Amino acid sequence: MDDMPQYRKYMTQALELAHKGAGWVNPNPLVGTVVVRDGEILAAGYHDRYRGPHAERMAFNYADEHGADMHGATVIDTLEPCCHVGSQPACTDLILSHGITRVVVGSIDPNPIVAGKGLCILEENGVEVVYDVMRAECDAINRHFFHYITTGMGVRTKC
């Protein structure tokens, strides 16, 4: 894919953001998000504390507060966006409500309540999903979370 080098550039930035949550988000995963359109970063965020806003919500809140139009943008996410309501609302709903057309993801969330379902929801609603961009690096930052959450099941489910 021609966009792959550009995705790697933004995923590197998302990884740098994700690291900022180290020591603060446990037992949750480290997650960074960069939102881009036409080579311009519209917003960025990271999961900064346990029970705090998810990376996507931090980025979208910034964009909303600054009047940035997100329609047609690409979300670069180190970890699959969540699709359930827990201490935070579902990030998939947020992505869909902002007119995002593409999500580029590094790691699939092994949590059984997500585990590929978030990406399926996006695809079923017309969002293009690009899988496994810098997956080794994205998996590595969450190796403790992945160990904690996994029980030997596969991490990608079918839509």
Side-chain angles (χ1 to χ4, degrees), residues 25-150:
V25 301
N26 191 37
N28 294 146
L30 296 171
V31 183
T33 299
V34 177
V35 184
V36 299
R37 186 179 55 229
D38 300 326
E40 176 188 355
I41 295 177
L42 302 175
Y46 65 99
H47 186 46
D48 67 346
R49 66 187 181 284
Y50 179 65
R51 295 201 180 272
H54 290 178
E56 299 89 345
R57 183 152 305 277
M58 181 185 274
F60 281 87
N61 284 348
Y62 174 88
D64 290 346
E65 289 167 8
H66 291 86
D69 177 13
M70 306 291 266
H71 282 82
T74 296
V75 170
I76 312 289
D77 244 333
T78 58
L79 183 69
E80 172 183 8
C82 68
C83 56
H84 65 284
V85 176
S87 63
Q88 297 293 314
C91 292
T92 51
D93 292 345
L94 184 67
I95 289 168
L96 292 171
S97 71
H98 280 77
I100 299 299
T101 56
R102 180 181 301 121
V103 172
V104 176
V105 67
S107 297
I108 306 298
D109 190 336
N111 187 331
I113 60 177
V114 183
K117 295 177 189 96
L119 299 176
C120 287
I121 288 168
L122 295 173
E123 288 178 326
E124 289 166 356
N125 282 279
V127 176
E128 177 189 356
V129 175
V130 179
Y131 291 84
D132 300 332
V133 174
M134 297 179 66
R135 182 171 183 170
E137 295 90 334
C138 291
D139 285 356
I141 67 167
N142 283 311
R143 68 184 186 282
H144 297 295
F145 170 75
F146 286 7
H147 176 76
Y148 167 77
I149 206 78
T150 56

